[in-house]
Structure formats: C-alpha cells, structure tokens
Amino acid sequence: MHSLLPFLYLFSAWTKGAWAADPTMPFMEYLDEKHMVCLMWGFDNLKGNITFKLEVNTTGWVGFGFSPNGGMKGADMVIGGVGPDGSYFTDRHALGRFEPLVIQSCDKEDFLITAQPIKLIYAYGLTDEIKYHRDNRGTKEVNLLEYMPRTTSTNLNFLSATMDNIEPVIEQIDIVHRMLLYRCPSFVTEEDDRPCYMGDMGDTCFGVVAAWAVGGGVFELPENVGIPIGGVDSDTIYRLEIHYNNPRKEAGRTDSSGLRLHYTAQLRQYNAGIMTTGVSPLTSLAYNIPPKAPEFHTYGVCNTTLFSEHLNPVPELQFFAVMLHTHLAGRKIRVGHYRNGTQTGFLALDEDYDFGLQQTVNLGHITTVKQGDEIAVECTYDTSDRTNVTIMGLGSTDEMCLAFLYYYPAINITSCVSHPNTGMSEKSTTSDQNTIAEQESLMKNLPQIQYAFDDKHNYSVNARGTVRDMMETPVTCETSNAASGLSTSCKMKPAGIILVLLYIAIM
C-alpha cells in the first residue's frame, strides 16, 4: 500500500499545446468546452505521488477541487494564484454555496481519490480578490487513476461506417432532459415525426447508438473501437428520441437540439455496442417508490444466459464505459457483476449521483463479462420531500434505474432489463418506515421477469430471475505519520487499485 501525494501547480495564464512539453504529466483534460481550463497530471509510482498542474486563461485567482456530486457542498479544493505580493495558496472545504472554509491539509475533510470517475470542479476570478466566480466555473467527471487517453482524428468524413465522437448540440438547455439515438429493426421502413410511445412502428427502435443526458458533454470512443453506422447497402432508419422537461409549462418554447456524430474513414478493430440494463423502463407495473423514504433501493437484473437464444456462440464481452441514469430522486447507482452466483465486483459506481451531471465516462479499465454472468443495477432514491408515491416512468418526477453499458465486440442484444413480478403481490405503500422497509424487501425478493431484446425486437424471457445480494463498496483507510506530514492512504475494492487522500502543497 502506498500513498498518492498530489502537488498542485497553479498558473493564471497558459498557451495551448504547452502541456505536451512536460513528460512527467502525460495526462491532460480540458475541463471546459472553450478550452480555457486545462488540467494535467501524472504519477511517480516509486514515491506513490500524483502531481496536478492546472492552467487557466485568466489573470486572477484559480480554484480546483474534488466534489461528491459536482456541486460546492462537501467539496475539497485548493485556491491560489500569483498576486502583487507573490504567490498565495490555501486548502479549503466547502459547506455550501458560499466561500469555502480554509482548512489544514490532511484533515478529516480531505476527499478520497478513487479508481472510479471523480467529479472535478474549477472556478476562477479575473482579479486576486477571492469572491463569487459567477459563470467562471464548471465541473467534469474524470477517472484520474485509470485514465484512458483520447485522441481526435483529423481524417473525418461522412463516407465511413464507424462513429468516432458524440457531441451534443443543445439549443434549450433548461428544458432538454435526455437524448437517445436508436437504430431501428429492418422492418421499420417509414419515417415518422410523431411523439414517441404512441403505438407507432418506430416504438420498436431500441438499439442505442448514442446517448446524452443533462450535464453531459462530448464522448469519444477508444481508438480501437467504433460504432458501425450506415454503409453502401444499408437502408437502416434511426430514431432520435428527445425527452423534454418544462415544469413551468411555458408556452411558445421550440427546440432544434440534436446529436452531432463524427465519423472516421478508417474502420476500427472492434465494433462497439451499447447495452441498456436496469429496471425495464417501459413496462406498466405497480412499482411504487414510497414517499418519505430517505433511502429506497430498486433493482434490475440481467442474466446473460438469455443471450444464447439470440446468437451462438456468445463471445466474451469487454465493457469499457457507462452512462448511469435516474431522475430527480436518484442518489446512488451501482452496477454489480456476478459469476457463478458470486459477485466479482462492480462494473460501475456512482455513490453521489447528481441528476444535473449525467456523463458518459470511461471506466478506465476493461471488465470481461462471460456467457452466464449476471449484471445487477441498484438505484437508491431519496423521497423524503415527497408526499405521494413515485412511479417508474418517463416523466422527470417519475423514476428510472438504467445503466447504458458500452462494450465490444458488438452483438445483436440491445437491452437486458427486468422488473419484479408485482402481479404476485397487491401490497400497498405508505410513508411508515416499517412499511417502507417491507416494500423494499418485497420488491427485491419477488421473482424478476427478465427480458433480453435483440436488434429485430425479438425477445427472450426468464420469469424466475433473482436479485442477489450486492456487496458493500469496500474502503479501508489507515492513517500514519510520514516524513512529509500526516497522510491517509486507502485501498478500494473491487477495482483493485490503491486509492489515497490528498496532501496538497504548493511548489
């Protein structure tokens, strides 16, 4: 076990491309769309250090940190700059939407850097007076410890068969909730622009090609995979589904949002697929989430033995990215992986889920799923402020529990979802805590009706699915007095990567 000791360099001005000259920090991400904020980092494996370098195109103070859910509350950060009297630097902790408190490094408020994607936040001012940043702020989710570098192809055209990038083009950011681009089965031969789920033929289109939700940004596939689309002999129809949320019912709102798809002329080594897992989102069932519940868990399961009814043989699938999705009551999402009835680990985790920050993220590693393995999606909801039951449905005040899993090589399975067989119980829900616990236990222990759909909208079903117990997210920490000061090192399983807390110093 070793510590990752981050040292932070703060710069108030920079030139594009300067980062490439520092071999000690090979990883780089722009944290904003305008490329005003550039983060670089690297590791010293012998000393167990991680070093950050943040360059911001500004002349004032700069702030950078780690947040539980992408917001200010609970964030651990540093603020510094170079003023008339020299450099200044403070370690801080945010309690809310006001100036963060100055704290001591390596105290109990420090934030763990884990092998899962972490929500990074930044802000900056135009002067050295530390005050409200207004719009000069942002957040981005990045896997720092298991980073998968991205490159942008310069040979882009529209004659190829693989997709390189997914870029949202949002016109009405306050009402656009989610966008999905689906590939339709071959029997869908006519275009239609009516609302979705009205019984039209297009409602059978569920092969996800691209996905975006609130807070998402550009997603680029790894260099060796691409999503096949089009082709000389292809007459496939695609359906763009956009979910809108206009709670104030403002009249006269129109929208022309969509997805920008970038293609490359060079075919990739593997065809990638996107598999929808979790709780079946379209089944009309009595799956009510009780009100006044601070923590209520729902489960959707996928047993890959169903895949053999659609293809043979079933290859080993390599999962590399995910987009997790619930609605406003969602607080946590965990995707468990099981083999021979025993959980081997997690495909994905977000224990501080934020509806306003739904990004597709690289997992930073590849997880192999074999024929017969099971995948379970657990969602945790908080309905403490609600007085009525919350149903599973499409509306923003309804709920969902989904994980869009990116993998290769692509197979013809588009979704593998389930729901409890609520027809076996007529139990109602109330806000009584005992009844809440009973309702959660009932929904978990009822037989799960599992479905696996293929790209022709055929499906296989297993009406006796089981929700297996899901392990805790293990984190063990030890505190010791090191030569450089008090440090905390942590190891988190099942990712198998050593994680650590921050000791931040200025250079």
Side-chain angles (χ1 to χ4, degrees):
M1 182 178 293
H2 67 279
S3 297
L4 299 176
L5 186 62
F7 295 95
L8 185 66
Y9 300 79
L10 295 177
F11 290 86
S12 59
W14 59 280
T15 302
K16 290 184 180 180
W19 58 272
D22 191 342
T24 65
M25 284 180 279
F27 307 123
M28 172 266 192
E29 278 277 345
Y30 289 109
L31 301 186
D32 65 326
E33 294 182 358
K34 296 181 179 180
H35 292 186
M36 301 278 284
V37 181
C38 180
L39 177 69
M40 291 148 279
W41 72 98
F43 305 97
D44 183 334
N45 291 325
L46 294 178
K47 295 181 179 179
N49 296 342
I50 176 173
T51 303
F52 293 101
K53 181 178 181 180
L54 185 71
E55 295 184 350
V56 182
N57 191 0
T58 187
T59 55
W61 62 269
V62 171
F64 168 73
F66 312 94
S67 167
N69 57 16
M72 285 284 288
K73 188 175 181 180
D76 186 24
M77 66 189 69
V78 293
I79 296 178
V82 180
D85 299 325
S87 62
Y88 55 93
F89 181 93
T90 51
D91 189 2
R92 298 186 179 231
H93 180 73
L95 300 178
R97 293 185 177 180
F98 44 87
E99 184 174 335
L101 302 177
V102 176
I103 62 173
Q104 296 296 316
S105 295
C106 293
D107 65 8
K108 64 180 181 179
E109 304 296 349
D110 280 336
F111 190 86
L112 290 173
I113 299 177
T114 75
Q116 298 295 327
I118 296 173
K119 297 175 179 67
L120 308 178
I121 61 173
Y122 69 87
Y124 57 91
L126 302 181
T127 70
D128 291 303
E129 181 184 0
I130 300 174
K131 60 181 181 180
Y132 183 52
H133 45 65
R134 300 191 182 276
D135 294 333
N136 298 325
R137 64 163 301 277
T139 183
K140 189 170 187 177
E141 196 164 33
V142 178
N143 193 322
L144 294 169
L145 302 190
E146 295 188 343
Y147 183 70
M148 296 180 69
R150 305 183 309 176
T151 60
T152 301
S153 173
T154 58
N155 184 23
L156 300 177
N157 59 68
F158 293 92
L159 301 177
S160 62
T162 59
M163 182 174 66
D164 189 17
N165 298 320
I166 299 172
E167 181 178 346
V169 182
I170 309 300
E171 184 180 75
Q172 303 287 347
I173 190 65
D174 61 324
I175 64 172
V176 179
H177 170 137
R178 183 165 64 124
M179 296 191 293
L180 291 162
L181 181 66
Y182 293 111
R183 180 185 293 109
C184 295
S186 58
F187 58 77
V188 178
T189 58
E190 296 183 2
E191 298 180 1
D192 189 1
D193 61 358
R194 293 210 312 156
C196 301
Y197 310 114
M198 301 293 290
D200 297 319
M201 190 68 73
D203 290 343
T204 61
C205 305
F206 284 111
V208 177
V209 176
W212 177 91
V214 176
V218 175
F219 177 71
E220 184 176 347
L221 294 166
E223 293 182 337
N224 63 334
V225 299
I227 298 177
I229 186 171
V232 176
D233 299 323
S234 174
D235 56 358
T236 303
I237 289 178
Y238 294 83
R239 180 180 71 159
L240 177 61
E241 177 181 315
I242 302 181
H243 294 215
Y244 293 97
N245 182 32
N246 186 9
R248 293 187 294 272
K249 302 187 185 306
E250 298 178 10
R253 298 295 298 271
T254 61
D255 181 67
S256 300
S257 298
L259 295 167
R260 182 175 296 127
L261 309 177
H262 296 266
Y263 300 86
T264 177
Q266 183 166 357
L267 292 174
R268 302 293 175 84
Q269 182 179 3
Y270 299 107
N271 286 341
I274 303 175
M275 186 183 301
T276 303
T277 60
V279 178
S280 178
L282 300 178
T283 304
S284 177
L285 64 143
Y287 199 153
N288 294 334
I289 302 172
K292 307 301 180 184
E295 285 192 358
F296 188 89
H297 300 87
T298 65
Y299 298 88
V301 293
C302 167
N303 191 321
T304 61
T305 56
L306 292 173
F307 296 176
S308 62
E309 298 186 31
H310 302 268
L311 70 160
N312 187 25
V314 179
E316 293 185 355
L317 305 180
Q318 313 299 323
F319 288 81
F320 63 89
V322 66
M323 189 182 85
L324 304 174
H325 181 69
T326 75
H327 290 175
L328 297 171
R331 297 296 180 268
K332 300 179 182 180
I333 309 177
R334 303 194 302 165
V335 185
H337 177 213
Y338 300 79
R339 182 168 295 162
N340 299 323
T342 301
Q343 186 175 359
T344 62
F346 290 97
L347 285 174
L349 287 167
D350 191 340
E351 303 216 26
D352 291 287
Y353 178 83
D354 184 350
F355 176 80
L357 187 64
Q358 299 180 56
Q359 300 190 40
T360 299
V361 293
N362 280 309
L363 300 177
H365 58 275
I366 304 296
T367 299
T368 300
V369 173
K370 298 182 177 182
Q371 166 71 351
D373 287 3
E374 297 173 65
I375 299 169
V377 183
E378 174 198 75
C379 295
T380 303
Y381 305 98
D382 181 358
T383 59
S384 299
D385 59 347
R386 299 191 179 189
T387 56
N388 298 315
V389 297
T390 300
I391 65 172
M392 304 297 281
L394 298 173
S396 293
T397 55
D398 301 335
E399 268 308 331
M400 283 188 165
C401 180
L402 296 174
F404 299 94
L405 298 173
Y406 291 63
Y407 70 96
Y408 66 85
I411 59 176
N412 65 347
I413 302 299
T414 59
S415 61
C416 186
V417 294
S418 77
H419 65 81
N421 189 352
T422 54
M424 298 180 63
S425 173
E426 298 298 328
K427 187 175 180 62
S428 61
T429 60
T430 71
S431 59
D432 178 80
Q433 292 298 315
N434 292 329
T435 305
I436 290 172
E438 292 171 2
Q439 173 73 359
E440 182 180 287
S441 177
L442 173 68
M443 290 300 176
K444 181 178 180 180
N445 292 304
L446 282 173
Q448 290 278 326
I449 303 178
Q450 301 179 90
Y451 302 91
F453 287 86
D454 65 18
D455 55 7
K456 295 181 175 60
H457 205 59
N458 300 317
Y459 67 91
S460 53
V461 62
N462 172 20
R464 304 297 300 180
T466 300
V467 177
R468 303 187 186 278
D469 289 336
M470 191 171 290
M471 65 174 61
E472 296 293 327
T473 306
V475 179
T476 58
C477 298
E478 297 178 359
T479 302
S480 61
N481 289 309
S484 58
L486 184 65
S487 64
T488 302
S489 61
C490 299
K491 181 180 290 184
M492 186 177 195
K493 298 179 180 179
I497 290 294
I498 295 176
L499 313 168
V500 199
L501 190 65
L502 297 152
Y503 180 96
I504 302 179
I506 192 166
M507 299 297 291

